[in-house]
Amino acid sequence: MAASREQQLRKILVLVNALALSMGLACVVTASLLTHQQVVATVLSLVGGAFVSAAVVTLAIGSLTVRETTEQVDSAVLRGMQDVLGPVRDPLFAGALSAYRYDCLLAPPPPGDAHPDYLYQSFRISYRIETLPRTVSIACLSSNDDGCLDRFTGPEILLRWMIDDNLDPDDPAIFSIGAVRVDTRDLERKPPTHEAVTGGTARIDHFSVPHEAQVTSGHLVELSVTARKYVGNDRRVRIQAQIFRHVTDAEYRLTIDPAIRPTRLGVNASEISSLGAAHGASVRATFPAPFNNLAGLVQLPFPLQPGSVMAFTIDREVP
């Protein structure tokens, strides 16, 4: 009720100021026309000037007061939210990945490949993180149960990948790991281990982290992986990536070999869960036509929560 009364009062004041401004302008115009009557013209000019000056000053002060009041309220609300949410967000960001970069190249298999219905996916993933454990791992699951991925979570796992249960994770033509680096240094690879999972097997590759990297903070992690993606005669292919950690900013890029014959590339970031206001996102094709079907880009500069999914949908011609 008080707010509505204040709004009505402001409207009345604005109306009065507008009328005063109109009257003042009318007096000034009339004074300029009555040049042959100096006394009347002078009086009207003075009265009109007074009305115009008072109206302009009152309107200016009123607008400044409203703007300053709004800014003060916004500032107070922002400070209050920061005081409340700061202690909650700080622990999350302490273990978050920053400068997350995901690059994927999608290409067809060469002639004579043992799995002609599976495309090749070559990945390069990099990010910055504050601390590292003594050993980091990459897990590849050959399973028919998507829920198995939940078993392989935690700060020591760099990457989790799932392939069809009829494929062999030990076959380098199915899943292979290239370079794994921390601060541009190649990590030493240990013999892989295997675990039984629902509907298949998981292969876990372990890499030793140097002691000097463990005692310092702030590291750049880089890794490259090649995996397979079933397409068969499907005219629509979906490539998606899911994060299992908090990420403060991320970029996802997909590049498609023209031999796949793509006709349309859709980029989707609707399955993300942001931590705070989701401002500044960019979802688009990387290149203009006619190359816009060959590459896509997702830029998410705001914090993301675990479980967020970025997806690329490819429509293609099938012989």
Side-chain angles (χ1 to χ4, degrees), residues 11 18 42 45 50 53 61 128 144 184 229 314:
K11 291 180 180 179
T42 302
S45 178
S53 300
I61 293 176
R128 300 198 67 86
N144 57 16
T184 70
K229 170 71 176 179
I314 305 161

Side-chain angles (χ1 to χ4, degrees), residues 223-295:
L223 59 128
S224 58
V225 172
T226 300
R228 304 299 290 266
K229 170 71 176 179
Y230 177 81
V231 292
N233 292 322
D234 295 345
R235 296 183 178 272
R236 173 163 291 184
V237 181
R238 178 182 170 91
I239 305 296
Q240 72 176 36
Q242 183 177 16
I243 59 174
F244 294 86
R245 301 269 301 272
H246 287 93
V247 175
T248 56
D249 63 281
E251 288 188 11
Y252 291 80
R253 299 177 185 269
L254 173 69
T255 305
I256 307 169
D257 191 306
I260 297 177
R261 305 173 71 179
T263 59
R264 178 184 174 275
L265 173 62
V267 186
N268 181 18
S270 62
E271 300 178 50
I272 62 172
S273 178
S274 62
L275 185 64
H279 295 312
S282 177
V283 179
R284 65 184 187 276
T286 305
F287 305 116
F291 304 104
N292 54 325
N293 295 329
L294 299 178

